[in-house]
Amino acid sequence: MINLDALAGLRAVATHGSVVAAAAATGFTPSAISQQVKRLEKQTGVPLLERVGRGVMLTSHGQHLVDAGERVLADLEQLEAGLQQRAGVVAGRVRLAAFSTAMRGLIAPIARTLRDAHPDLELTLDEREPWDVVDLVASGQAELGIVHRWGGVPLAVPDHVVTTAVATDLAELVVHRDDPLARRPRVTPHDLVDVGWIATPEGTICRQWLSRMYDGTGRPPRIAHVSGEFESHLALVRAGLGVALVPRMGRGPLGDDLVAVRVVDPEPIRLVDALHRRTMADSPAVQAVLAAFAGLG
């Protein structure tokens, strides 16, 4: 009988491209992933991985097993969710992957309530960028994911993953109180062509939005400093090193030194969605977490 945990390990190698990356994504050690693959090879009697340079790739047998195994794992997942729904049981582990401000602004506020209401529910958290969250949910390595998307910046989600709207988050221009912009009730990108931005790294969704916000101004945003965390953005603005576009979600108090100014034309709104596989639609555990998010209003 094919070991299902080992099959999931092989699927992780196929998804992430290497044993090391699969181990990092699943929380196992590379040695454990290798042992799982060797166990499958012994059970099936065929080679599943082959070395290519310093890495590995699936053999044709391995790819066939992963493709067929996807259907088996999905059927079992759906069966388990249906049984729990019939029994009215909210239990088991829900692996929840989310971006950083959602951890602070959405997940932390509901974690204790969920634990108190459902003591048999185990919630494990993993902070990731939205693209990584999509991959983790789609590949079965997380039961739920929280992602964000800005205006016209697309986020591709596979057909077997369901998207549920959770929240709408507004970002504001944060400036030092001594900045002349602090006295403005609102600003447009045309008012900001000469400012020095503290921005997230190149390639992030927030950085893409900042660049698109400048469409029509004839100039790109002037990036003065790069930082991955919005809390760091606030500290750098407080030090007088530039301005930042910071979402309200998960944002701490600005204090006396910082001022938030509304941005319009366009208004920087990001949509926050929850993701889960269609096979988990009947899972009481997944539904309990989604209901908790809805309860936040």
Side-chain angles (χ1 to χ4, degrees), residues 1-8 39-40 43:
M1 181 71 70
I2 291 176
N3 182 280
L4 295 179
D5 289 336
L7 180 58
R39 185 181 305 122
L40 274 180
Q43 289 173 333

Side-chain angles (χ1 to χ4, degrees), residues 68-88:
E70 286 281 3
R71 296 189 294 272
V72 173
L73 292 172
D75 287 345
L76 287 173
E77 187 172 75
Q78 191 167 21
L79 175 62
E80 181 181 7
L83 286 172
Q84 290 180 341
Q85 183 190 47
R86 284 172 60 88

Side-chain angles (χ1 to χ4, degrees), residues 13-35:
V13 175
T15 299
H16 298 283
S18 73
V19 170
V20 173
T26 59
F28 290 99
T29 64
S31 175
I33 294 292
S34 295
Q35 289 300 318

Side-chain angles (χ1 to χ4, degrees), residues 209-226:
W209 167 257
L210 181 61
S211 296
R212 291 194 181 199
M213 197 174 78
Y214 271 67
D215 289 350
T217 66
R219 295 170 58 179
R222 184 169 68 86
I223 308 301
H225 307 284
V226 175

Side-chain angles (χ1 to χ4, degrees), residues 134-194:
V134 173
D135 289 342
L136 289 171
V137 174
S139 63
Q141 296 171 68
E143 282 69 50
L144 272 172
I146 302 295
V147 298
H148 65 79
R149 49 193 172 90
W150 295 84
V153 180
L155 184 65
V157 176
D159 290 339
H160 71 285
V161 174
V162 178
T163 300
T164 303
V166 170
T168 300
D169 190 20
L170 177 69
E172 295 169 306
L173 176 73
V174 178
V175 300
H176 194 277
R177 65 179 180 182
D178 295 333
D179 191 311
L181 292 171
R183 296 187 289 275
R184 301 280 295 272
R186 65 184 61 83
V187 294
T188 73
H190 290 277
D191 300 318
L192 305 174
V193 292
D194 294 320

